[in-house]
Amino acid sequence: MSGCSQSGNSKNAFVVPETGFNPDEEVEITFTHTMGARLQDVLNTYIEEFNKIYPNIKITHQSAGGWGDINGQINTEIAGGNQPNIAYCYPDHVAMYNIAKSVVVLDNLIASDIVIPGTEEVIGLTKEQKDDFIESYYNEGLAYGDDLMYTMPLNKSTEVLYYDKTFFDKNGLKVPTTWKELWDTCDKILKIDPDCYPLGYDAEDNWFITLCEQMETGFTSAENGGEYLFNNDENKAFVKELREYYQKGYFTTQELYGSYTSNLFVETTDTRCYMCIGSSGGASYQMSNNDTTDGSFAFEVGVAPIPQYSNDNRKVISQGPSLCILKGKDTTDQQVLASWLFVKYLCTNIEFQAEFSMASGYMPVLKSVTENDAYAAWLSKGNGYEYLVAKCVKVGIDGRDDYFVSPAFNGSSTARTQAGALLLKCLSGEAADDSAVDKLINDSFQEALDECEY
């Protein structure tokens, strides 16, 4: 057995034992996620395959519900010392878990060239495996300001622009590629259907953060333990502009409407929207037959990248679950190693990545998955009807060079929440004149900053 170099300057940097992983020692690990029944079926199939390689590792998994549920549950479990070994996570979650130093730094596991007894496999990742990851997805694990790796990407989603292609074709409308084009399109749509919302946007926080990134005006930084940069004149200016478009009736949002705007998008008999910006992982909810009784499709759905402020600085938010390994005072090296081997298996297994993407509508994290025959055949079926999910995934894959992730630190989750809250206040708050609008916006930004710093 050859050794490995131990890297990292964190107390959480796991030191791989020279003896490596013991395939003869029984070990049990737990995995908490947000998967529904369909995805758990896929997971169970690949746990069986994993156990053919590592029969001594018993994996128990459970769904915690939604993202807010899993974050709250794991924080409580960490406080009680009964956290799972592996968890679904977003960067903001990991930053919170790390307050208690509960997240295993993965650098030494990734770098380990110790061979696992009875196999020809090393503990760590080979160069080929690392090179196969989509770079922006892999680098999300480094988004904590200390150049250390805390997570591995499992599957990803982004935001896309859904539009009623049938309506666009009928009325000679072009799909907008910039925000200026989008507002022009909204104006044209309102002239055709004065009772509609031309655009629905599902996530106010994502919108604010994305515009900060596209315009390079500043949102947050992981420097100095975390900094809040959003309270500036440039951001106030674009929010004021958004308010003007909202007052004109160009758009609504999930909170303003009171429900996901996909409900407006698939609506065909009442007030509706003809464009919707939402998660690529929610494509099945954007299918036009959701509102029909006979299963037919009321219209063809188009999918395009979200508009950009400038095509010279294309930015689209990257979301979707990564995996982190958690530890407590009673966690053994064997449990950490077993957890890592399972994480590595899920994240680097081409067949799992393909099947999980087809079942979930999320995008695989490996470049080579698109070369998988079954997956390539599925992608080729993508259309604006029954294979809308495949069409949406392909748009997401094609735009992978544009993805960004906000810096993660203790407080970054609050910043995200406050970004959405301040945008809502600025859009819908009452103001009698322009000076009152300016005061509303200034006060909303300051209140958001105060909440973050508090």
Side-chain angles (χ1 to χ4, degrees), residues 142-319:
L142 299 165
Y144 302 88
D146 57 8
D147 295 323
L148 297 174
M149 191 78 168
Y150 289 88
T151 66
M152 291 293 292
L154 180 68
N155 51 85
K156 293 297 171 183
S157 64
T158 188
E159 289 188 325
V160 294
L161 173 67
Y162 301 95
Y163 62 97
D164 182 337
K165 188 175 185 302
T166 302
F167 176 84
F168 269 57
D169 290 349
K170 177 181 177 181
N171 292 284
L173 298 174
K174 293 183 179 179
V175 180
T177 62
T178 66
W179 293 108
K180 183 181 183 305
E181 290 176 358
L182 181 130
W183 303 128
D184 290 343
T185 302
C186 287
D187 188 67
K188 293 175 182 177
I189 291 174
L190 267 182
K191 287 181 171 64
I192 300 168
D193 182 358
D195 297 323
C196 77
Y197 296 105
L199 171 69
Y201 206 127
D202 271 341
E204 297 86 358
D205 49 4
N206 281 358
W207 199 0
F208 183 92
I209 294 167
T210 298
L211 285 172
C212 289
E213 193 74 20
Q214 289 183 356
M215 299 171 68
E216 300 182 275
T217 52
F219 176 60
T220 59
S221 167
E223 297 296 320
N224 303 313
E227 297 175 335
Y228 307 104
L229 310 176
F230 58 82
N231 188 18
N232 61 63
D233 290 341
E234 292 87 351
N235 290 345
K236 292 174 184 178
F238 81 64
V239 167
K240 185 175 182 179
E241 187 177 13
L242 286 181
R243 177 185 168 88
E244 292 170 0
Y245 291 130
Y246 174 67
Q247 299 293 326
K248 290 181 178 180
Y250 283 2
F251 68 87
T252 189
T253 69
Q254 180 184 338
E255 290 297 326
L256 292 169
Y257 172 58
S259 180
Y260 284 108
T261 58
S262 57
N263 295 328
L264 283 169
F265 182 68
V266 300
E267 174 65 60
T268 58
T269 61
D270 203 349
T271 303
R272 61 168 307 198
C273 65
Y274 294 93
M275 297 181 288
C276 179
I277 294 178
S279 171
S280 61
S284 61
Y285 298 101
Q286 307 282 358
M287 294 172 67
S288 66
N289 66 341
N290 286 6
D291 191 52
T292 63
T293 56
D294 62 358
S296 62
F297 294 91
F299 59 89
E300 180 181 0
V301 180
V303 185
I306 68 165
Q308 299 292 319
Y309 177 73
S310 167
N311 283 313
D312 293 332
N313 182 47
R314 298 185 60 82
K315 297 293 181 181
V316 186
I317 201 163
S318 174
Q319 296 185 296

Side-chain angles (χ1 to χ4, degrees), residues 5 58 97 128 157 168 195 259 427 440:
S5 61
K58 180 182 178 181
Y97 305 155
E128 290 74 20
S157 64
F168 269 57
D195 297 323
S259 180
L427 292 177
L440 169 67

Side-chain angles (χ1 to χ4, degrees), residues 357-374:
S357 175
M358 290 186 284
S360 68
Y362 281 65
M363 293 172 288
V365 299
L366 303 176
K367 302 169 190 172
S368 60
V369 175
T370 56
E371 300 169 10
N372 176 273
D373 289 343

